[in-house]
Amino acid sequence: MTTAQPFACVLDARATLGESPVWSVAEQVLYWVDIKGRALHRFDPATAADTAWILPEEIGCVGLRKGGGFIAGLRSGLWTLDADAKPVALLAANPEDTAASRFNDGRADPAGRYLAGTLDEAKAGGTAHLYRFDRRGLAALAGGLLTSNGLAFSPDGRTLYHSDTPTFTVHRYRYDPATGEASEREVFLRFQPSGDDRGRPDGAAVDSEGCYWTALYEGGRVQRHAPDGTLLATHPVPARCPTMVAFGGPDLRTLYLTTASAGRPAEELGRFPQSGGVFALTVDVPGLPEPLFDPAA
């Protein structure tokens, strides 16, 4: 394992809860959300311009939609948004109590289905789920969760990674790209609440070698793990709460990272004043293009 170069801030956004970075290959821009700010952002690294659209409710995740626009996980459910982030149609209502549940981490699978999970805001009942949405409707893939997170797929689409952040655990499943079924869940990684291994596994991405990159919330770092779980590299982040990574850039060798500032103590924000910003790191191994959500899948 090596401790490698740190991330550098490319957008001092001061977001409350930055999340769900998604690189558009077609536009060469990064979309990302500020959950508590109820905003979808478009960051153009060529000009450093960042455009924000405010939504009527919290937005937990976003994906690029085949044909244009987006799919987004809001508190009320999964919605299509137009190119200007205006809600167009409710695809599936949140089946949980929206007073205590909202959609959180999500991404499209290689076939164009959309996977998204919820979070149990009380962190007590384990009422959150991981869901799959396709032309058949909404279906639960896993339950008994506190905060569904860390979704990523192996390059062949046959392994699904998924974390439950407050339990410090990343699981992996055998995934069938033809049907969207997940099975044979097993523990992939487990972190600790304190010590050198502290940090809660938040959002993630997989590179073209099949290695899993996880942002460790309250751990101040991003780690790269081999497909067998071996820790390969640790990259420090000048923010205590990194939230999710995404590969971007013309060659997909720029690893973007969102971070959070909400609820953090003043002393911490004084030490890490760019908390809530978007960070980036040049990596040797490229990522993979993000699949588009396909309403026909």
Side-chain angles (χ1 to χ4, degrees), residues 52-76:
W53 296 278
I54 304 301
L55 283 95
E57 54 184 290
E58 292 160 315
I59 174 171
C61 56
V62 68
L64 305 174
R65 182 178 181 271
K66 185 178 181 180
F70 310 92
I71 181 172
L74 307 184
R75 179 173 289 273
S76 60

Side-chain angles (χ1 to χ4, degrees), residues 11-20 32-41 50 52-54 57-60 102 104 202 217-218 239-244 257-265 268-269 272-279:
L11 178 65
D12 191 7
R14 308 293 171 97
T16 52
L17 183 50
E19 267 284 7
S20 194
W32 62 282
V33 308
D34 182 354
I35 297 178
K36 294 186 180 297
R38 300 184 175 186
L40 171 61
H41 290 253
D50 184 71
W53 296 278
I54 304 301
E57 54 184 290
E58 292 160 315
I59 174 171
R102 62 164 172 78
N104 196 48
D202 205 316
Y217 192 88
E218 293 188 326
R240 181 72 172 152
C241 295
T243 55
M244 188 173 176
L257 171 70
T258 49
T259 61
S261 64
R264 308 311 302 169
E268 177 183 309
L269 296 178
F272 302 112
Q274 294 172 320
S275 296
V278 177
F279 294 76

Side-chain angles (χ1 to χ4, degrees), residues 90-125:
L90 176 64
L91 299 173
N94 183 351
E96 300 166 12
D97 178 5
T98 57
S101 165
R102 62 164 172 78
F103 273 96
N104 196 48
D105 184 68
R107 78 177 340 128
D109 80 357
R113 305 176 193 90
Y114 198 68
L115 273 63
T118 53
L119 110 169
D120 170 7
E121 289 181 315
K123 301 293 189 293

